[in-house]
Amino acid sequence: MTSSWSGAHAPGMASESTPSAVPWHYATISAAQQALKRRETTSMDLVAACEAVWRQSNPHLNAVVLSDFDRAYDAAQARDAELRAGKIRGPLHGVPFTIKESFDVKDWPTTVGDPAFAGNIAARHASVVQRLMDAGAILLGKTNVPIWLRDWQSYNDVYGTTRNPHDTSRTPGGSSGGSAAAVCSGMAFFDVGSDIGSSVRNPAHYCGIFSHKSTHGLVPLDGHGLPGGTTYPDINVAGPLARSADDLERVLLAIAGPTAEAACAVRFELPRCPASELRQIRFGMLPNHPIAEVDAQVEQCLVALGQDLERRGATVVWNACPSLDAAELLRVYTLMLRAATSGYLGDDAFASAISAAAEVPADDMRYASLQYVGAVMRHRDWLKLQPLRERFAAAWRALFEEVDVLLCPVAATPAFALNEQGAPWQRTLNVNGRAQPLTTQIFWAGHSGLCGLPSSVAPAGRTADGLPVGVQIVAPLYHDLRSIHVARLLEAAGYAFVPPA
């Protein structure tokens, strides 16, 4: 593949002349920045460390699908010169990162995995990309996604299949699967993905890293998706993926905030969590749910985590959950999710969805059916769902009067074997020896996501086969720093990133 945009490279190509790499590829952002300030390393070295991993690992992981290391080295040289002159651009000065393919980067293509958009070259950076660069971060490349961002795997006909660094026969998740694989393997210090259906949460769970789904409306999403996205789409949010909880906070604070137009009147000041120990946190623990059964190997990790928290003196309320009809929430979420993403459907696909929706019985609760109903829903019907969403939000507020955070699964299983046959709603997972529709686990995305709540993911353990298991940490609206801080306290207690073998 030859590039026609500003020096961007396809996988397997790089600059012929680069500095020698140093072993920084598993470091945290904070460790790298401290070393930069002490002159123990340079931004050039950090880029070289990421490139060395990219050269070695990307050919079989296929996480980074577009790259421009020439431009990255130029930026690193500039950041190093600024640092020597005493100028710090921001909290991410000199740190290399990658970005999910669905975010616009000026002069690079944004395809969301659809060959029809291979020539869709962005005219400007997405707000998230611009804010990261303004904070001093150095862009290395773009990471892989599923077509239209609609899968828990990351493969498409433009860039191919991305694999999990812990087991290349398995998925790294989706739709921010390339993001998680790049961060897990050490190709980037962090990445920013988007999440409407667990798209930054399940990749972190599958790859054993940290991630954060932000409060809805906290981070503008203009320049995301096709054709460039809207600033605050329904349900969908942006959020970081990193190798430590502290890194999540650094990246989130760099990308959060009102739009440029609103900045003259609006300011976000996220409340901090004052707890210094886990025993000061009131934990709700929901290790399973009958609406979306979780495999025993995942449930056991969460139960063991809850028991560990109790031993450490924390209050743990077992089987805590908001007082609501979970089946009704899943139905509403599925309808609104598919309504929010219906813009990706071409005219023929939309016409097919209209025909399919007309055949769905009123009592059909299956995702495979509701996706069509949601995609072609009348605006009046969408409006009639809003009071239900408000009712669900009230139930969550009541729960957070009793607990500080809710711990729950991210997905039904650990990373599953790659399976590109058919559509996602036609596939199944093996959950406790029984076939479960793959789409059932979307409950764990919508349970909190429909109401816009922030959720952090932290490592919670390993299966008997050594596969990572994450825990989802749900907090009240705008208490993003609470869920991240809980992840930080868990990390300090040993629930930390472990590099792939």
Side-chain angles (χ1 to χ4, degrees), residues 165-182:
H166 292 276
D167 181 345
T168 55
S169 71
R170 297 176 184 269
T171 180
S175 61
S176 307
S179 303

Side-chain angles (χ1 to χ4, degrees), residues 103-410:
F103 285 94
D104 284 347
V105 173
K106 187 177 184 295
D107 297 328
W108 287 18
T110 300
T111 70
V112 296
D114 188 343
F117 292 94
N120 178 46
I121 307 301
R124 61 184 62 83
H125 293 322
S127 284
V128 164
V129 174
Q130 188 62 59
R131 290 180 179 189
L132 292 170
M133 290 182 168
D134 290 346
I138 300 168
L139 178 64
L140 301 178
K142 281 190 165 193
T143 46
N144 205 21
V145 297
I147 185 169
W148 305 328
L149 316 182
R150 285 188 62 179
D151 205 330
W152 289 277
Q153 301 177 94
S154 294
Y155 70 94
N156 58 73
D157 289 340
V158 182
Y159 298 119
T161 298
T162 300
R163 298 174 179 273
N164 192 311
H166 292 276
D167 181 345
T168 55
S169 71
R170 297 176 184 269
T171 180
S175 61
S176 307
S179 303
V183 172
C184 175
S185 62
M187 295 184 214
F189 280 74
F190 70 91
D191 196 297
V192 173
S194 57
D195 188 314
I196 193 171
S198 201
S199 288
V200 301
R201 287 170 284 174
N202 81 58
H205 159 67
Y206 291 152
C207 291
I209 62 171
F210 293 80
S211 73
H212 182 72
K213 173 210 167 294
S214 58
T215 291
H216 186 260
L218 185 62
V219 179
L221 269 178
D222 56 290
H224 175 268
L226 296 172
T230 57
T231 305
Y232 299 116
D234 192 31
I235 309 176
N236 205 8
V237 302
L241 301 95
R243 291 187 292 268
S244 81
D246 187 64
D247 289 357
L248 295 181
E249 182 173 320
R250 288 172 181 260
V251 178
L252 177 67
L253 294 180
I255 61 177
T259 62
E261 288 184 336
C264 64
V266 178
R267 180 169 58 93
F268 291 152
E269 187 173 342
L270 298 177
R272 290 195 171 273
C273 177
S276 58
E277 299 177 81
L278 287 167
R279 63 184 177 87
Q280 296 172 304
I281 305 290
R282 298 175 301 167
F283 291 94
M285 173 60 80
L286 183 64
N288 211 330
H289 198 288
I291 291 294
E293 183 184 357
V294 171
D295 196 74
Q297 55 190 338
V298 172
E299 182 178 11
Q300 288 165 4
C301 281
L302 269 63
V303 169
L305 170 60
Q307 293 169 341
D308 185 26
L309 293 171
E310 288 182 320
R311 286 192 294 271
R312 294 172 184 271
T315 297
V316 178
V317 180
W318 289 93
N319 298 312
C321 59
S323 181
L324 50 78
D325 185 332
E328 183 182 42
L329 182 147
L330 180 57
R331 180 185 69 87
V332 173
Y333 170 64
T334 302
L335 292 172
M336 300 188 84
L337 169 68
R338 293 283 67 102
T341 59
S342 61
Y344 284 116
L345 297 177
D347 291 342
D348 291 343
F350 187 72
S352 297
I354 292 175
S355 299
E359 301 298 322
V360 176
D363 60 350
D364 193 337
M365 298 288 288
R366 295 174 303 159
Y367 176 95
S369 300
L370 291 178
Q371 64 171 328
Y372 299 116
V373 179
V376 303
M377 193 190 317
R378 293 181 179 182
H379 186 56
R380 180 174 181 271
D381 294 330
W382 184 88
L383 290 172
K384 290 172 71 174
L385 294 177
Q386 300 309 313
L388 296 177
R389 176 152 58 177
E390 290 296 326
R391 194 171 74 209
F392 301 146
W396 276 102
R397 287 193 294 271
L399 174 66
F400 287 125
E401 292 294 322
E402 306 298 325
V403 301
D404 297 314
V405 294
L406 177 69
L407 305 186
C408 63
V410 183

Side-chain angles (χ1 to χ4, degrees), residues 36-98:
L36 286 170
K37 291 176 183 178
R38 294 193 299 261
R39 305 296 195 268
E40 294 172 358
T41 191
T42 66
S43 294
M44 293 282 281
D45 287 336
L46 300 182
V47 172
C50 293
E51 187 191 14
V53 180
W54 175 81
R55 284 179 175 275
Q56 179 180 4
S57 299
N58 204 54
H60 58 272
L61 294 180
N62 192 34
V64 180
V65 293
L66 290 172
S67 58
D68 190 346
F69 283 94
D70 291 337
R71 180 187 290 186
Y73 282 118
D74 288 344
Q77 190 172 36
R79 297 298 86 75
D80 286 335
E82 290 167 349
L83 187 60
R84 288 193 297 271
K87 177 183 177 182
I88 304 294
R89 283 182 176 245
L92 302 172
H93 188 100
V95 178
F97 76 101
T98 50

Side-chain angles (χ1 to χ4, degrees), residues 441-487:
Q441 65 180 330
I442 204 169
F443 169 78
W444 296 110
H447 192 217
S448 59
L450 177 62
C451 299
L453 300 174
S455 298
S456 300
V457 173
R462 297 287 180 116
T463 68
D465 294 332
L467 295 174
V469 172
V471 60
Q472 183 172 188
I473 309 162
V474 185
L477 280 173
Y478 298 105
H479 285 269
D480 297 65
L481 300 186
R482 181 189 297 181
S483 65
I484 291 175
H485 187 58
V486 170

